[in-house]
Amino acid sequence: MTDAPHVRARFPVLVTLFLALCVAVLVGLGLWQVERLQWKAGLIDRAERAAALAPSPLADVLAASEPEFRKALVVCRGLATAPFAELQSIHDGQPGSRLISACVPEGTGQTFLVDRGFVPDTMAARPRVLVSTMPLALVVELRRSPPPGPMTPAPANGRFFGRDNAALATALGAAAPSEFTLFALTSPNPELTALTASAPPAAFSNNHLGYALTWFGLALALVAFYVAGLIRRFRKPAP
């Protein structure tokens, strides 16, 4: 009895095309993450350079090509006793509220929301609210405020849970505010020692290199899997 003739394996055209498409998509995602890496690095560099500049009058900062993260000098009349809304926040691991007031800085004619600082929940004291035109000079940092996400709870009991500038301005009876929030770096209420004037850390996470390596690694693994499959498919049987 003779052995049956060996049938030559056919080249897997459809599988090859499908895997080639998958590899192209994975490589494309990796290249996109490399582009995002370069963009984020540039963004971080610009933010650091802007934050390092000395404070300038607010009008000059707003006239700059990129005002965000710049420090500015502002004069807000009546800010120390202005009405405020409370925005739930965390500072140095402590829950509390950031006090938000509206201001039309001198020389601008535009409404801005001023983040006067953070008060922990353990402190019940708040700044007094009085009608005043007393000028108050302070140093601020400009930040854009992205709208809150769809899962952000609605305001309750006078407290906000997301930095919705339009809703905050409405609650304060103010006109539509600028896209920039002014974060006080010097306290508008030094008599209230529990109030910490500060800008939150810039939320820049640069994980794009890890994402790029993941996509490229998946593409390489898929190619290795395909090559191993071809070797097994076309390997001649032992005599």
Side-chain angles (χ1 to χ4, degrees), residues 159-178:
R159 174 174 284 198
F160 284 75
F161 300 93
R163 199 177 285 276
D164 186 337
N165 280 6
L168 284 164
T170 299
L172 293 168
S178 164

Side-chain angles (χ1 to χ4, degrees), residues 94-231:
Q94 279 189 303
S97 298
R98 300 193 75 95
L99 307 185
I100 313 298
S101 294
C103 166
V104 180
E106 291 191 354
T108 65
Q110 184 178 14
T111 298
F112 287 81
L113 293 184
V114 180
D115 189 313
R116 293 163 64 175
F118 174 86
V119 180
D121 282 342
T122 54
M123 301 297 297
R126 294 292 187 270
R128 60 179 182 168
V129 177
L130 297 170
V131 176
S132 172
T133 57
M134 181 71 67
L136 177 69
L138 68 160
V139 179
V140 299
E141 184 173 308
L142 281 70
R143 295 284 188 90
R144 285 188 176 89
S145 300
M151 302 303 292
T152 303
N157 300 320
R159 174 174 284 198
F160 284 75
F161 300 93
R163 199 177 285 276
D164 186 337
N165 280 6
L168 284 164
T170 299
L172 293 168
S178 164
E179 64 174 317
F180 294 106
T181 296
L182 306 180
F183 284 84
L185 301 182
T186 54
S187 178
N189 298 95
E191 77 284 356
L192 186 63
T193 57
L195 179 66
T196 302
S198 64
F204 287 136
S205 59
N206 195 0
N207 301 319
H208 298 292
L209 178 59
Y211 297 149
L213 293 177
T214 297
W215 292 123
F216 289 142
L218 289 173
L220 184 61
L222 195 57
V223 170
F225 174 79
Y226 172 74
V227 171
L230 285 182
I231 292 174

